Amino acid sequence: MEIIYLIIFFIGPGIFVKEISRYFSVVERYDPPKNTVYENLFVIVVESALLNTFAIVFFNCINDDKILSAEEFISKPNDFDFLCRYIPILIFLIIVYVFAKKFFGKVVHKIKSWWLNKKYGLNYGNSNEGTVWQNMIYYENTGKNDKVVSIYHNGEYVISGILWGYNNRKIDGKDFRLIRTQEVEKVLKRDKKTTLEEQWLGYIEKVYYDSDTGLMIKFYRSDELMEHWDEISKLS
């Protein structure tokens, strides 16, 4: 029975850390198969052992019955009273560790960004995710106007509209949903006949290009379009 408890204590916290991190992440990440099962298990065991070590230290500070050896800790899980006092401490430290890990990751990101900008003049990617796609779709212009886009594939125009839905996992690919496609295409047709200053979608804020699939997305500044939205029905 002690072996089962030890497996739970020295694997469970690491898995708990991974699941909490995934739960609080805006983007559901897909871990590519670059890490083997053994490498992932090693990380889980190390984090679990680290958390249990801190939990034992914390437990000893607030309780009279100290844990002074590995043998004592192995025998403790048989004591229900011990579990009721130890597990809440462990869960608390897991939550603190997850947020501390996230905070430390942001600090490291800022240091990397500062160093790359100083040495090479490069702008490091967003610290919240790992790809340009996720950065542009999820984090840039959050809370601002709807994303009005034109989509191209291998240099050929496909469709335009307001980006309204997209996958949140890398493993699912770059599928998305567009709305108001007819209205946006009417505006683009109108803009071809006018000067740049009079165009409602004249300014392209950014362009996403995937060299593997040939997918290109142009993101327009939509402020001017929204001001004239009621006039679209009059366009031919």
Side-chain angles (χ1 to χ4, degrees), residues 142-185:
T142 301
K144 296 185 180 180
N145 292 334
D146 295 325
K147 296 179 176 67
V148 181
V149 301
S150 286
I151 298 176
Y152 298 79
H153 186 256
N154 292 328
E156 298 292 329
Y157 174 77
V158 179
I159 197 170
S160 297
I162 295 177
L163 195 60
W164 201 249
Y166 30 79
N167 292 331
N168 70 330
R169 300 193 307 171
K170 297 180 193 177
I171 192 173
D172 291 333
K174 298 179 178 68
D175 298 331
F176 31 78
R177 173 189 176 196
L178 299 181
I179 63 171
R180 303 298 186 184
T181 54
Q182 290 185 342
E183 290 89 338
V184 173
E185 290 192 333

Side-chain angles (χ1 to χ4, degrees), residues 29-40:
R29 302 168 188 266
Y30 166 66
D31 297 325
K34 61 181 180 181
N35 294 331
T36 65
V37 174
Y38 300 103
E39 289 172 331
N40 290 328

